[in-house]
Amino acid sequence: MNNRTILTGLLGAGTVASATAQAPAKTKAQTPQGRPNIVIIYTDDMGIGDLSCTSTGWIETPAIDRLASQGLVLNSYYTSAPVSSPSRVGLTTGMFPMEWGINTYLQSRKGNAACEQADYLAADAPSMARILRDAGYATGHFGKWHMGGGRDVKDAPSIPSFGFDEYCSTWESPDPAPELTATNWIWSNKDDVKRWNRTGYFVDKTLDFLVRHKDKPCFVNLWPDDMHTPWVPDEESQHKQKDWNSQPNFSEVLAEYDRQIGRFLTQLDQLGLSDNTIVIFTSDNGPAPSFRQLRTNGMRGVKNSLYEGGIRMPFIIRWPGVIEAGKVDDTTVVCAVDLLPSLCKIARARLPKGYRSSGEDMSRALLGKPSVRKGDLMWDFGRNEAFMFPRDRYHRSPSLAIRRGNWKLLLNPDGSNAQLYDITADINETKNLAEKNPALVRDLSKTVLAWWERRPRIGAGKQ
């Protein structure tokens, strides 16, 4: 039986309104076991400069700014990869995505082999949803998946196999919702739910799930496919393909995205769920296009780059009454791979026996207490000639990176093109200090190259 939930009507507004009227207000003490709901809003292709609360002022996002004013902003948060599929694997498993054989966006079998990666995330991979479900949470996934399925990959594990009770997903998944996939592509003007209504659709799915499971703690992935191109803000725009990647269309789509996030937050208030719901807002990877680096606050790098603009993401976390409102942490370095151990700690969910995260427990930092991370962060992207992007060579980085403390080293697997930056002093990565710090380069290189050598051998690079 299909586990997708279906609301009445395309956007389900009537269903949600009815549920709102029926749901009694709840306080933290009334929640089962006192454990919080957890909702992760995982925006698609949003740069750190796409929010007015974290940008240079070129754009306005009042609803998301309100979320930031009510919670904590982490300005040194990293995704686990500069592109969709591996970033989602890192968040889901709490492990560097290379360790599961995924290093770029999942595509056709031929394309995956050329990029030396698996066709999907293995069903036996660790999963935050599975761990939380086993601890008593109701679990839902609503939005983009992109960890297997689509194109000619027909045998990807189902979304429930990763611990989700209910789901509704897009084309790049094992079982896409028909109302979102009239054709064999990420969107179509024939879809029942139009491109400009999709975020609202996933917001309604999430609200409906929370209402129906109000008697137990919930974990929900709200993973829209905004702000990924094409930007199609209305019916008229779908016939003007030349405008789909334009800055005016981007601004219109972002304004609607912001409005839908605001509507979600308002509904949480009206349902009495806000006080015991952790809301995390972040992005999977950097932007494309970047509009002359406006969308990265001037940082070098874009989507598909290991420079900061490709991997440093906006990050907001709110839990009223627990996380102090309006705080900004500029120093604590947190990564997507930290979220599984950190959120499971907060939710009092036991990690599986033998599980070893690539991240670490940063729960204190997520709750507003700046912390110093102990371990290194490492990234892999662009390992062979199948990776011909970004097109702009200024933003195309070496294929390996490691951050330790204030230092970040980038280099290729053969040791070439070593670039060392003091990220706190040079966030735009303009001054390569490798020649001045040979011992540090050797030490960081040894660590990241040893990690690289442990990679799964798949496809074109199989030995």
Side-chain angles (χ1 to χ4, degrees), residues 37 44 141 272:
N37 300 317
D44 201 0
H141 176 93

Side-chain angles (χ1 to χ4, degrees), residues 87-109:
S87 78
R88 294 163 194 274
V89 168
L91 177 63
T92 297
T93 65
M95 300 176 69
F96 294 133
M98 186 179 77
E99 299 179 30
W100 288 97
I102 298 177
N103 55 68
T104 187
Y105 74 97
L106 288 169
Q107 48 182 296
S108 67
R109 292 183 183 277

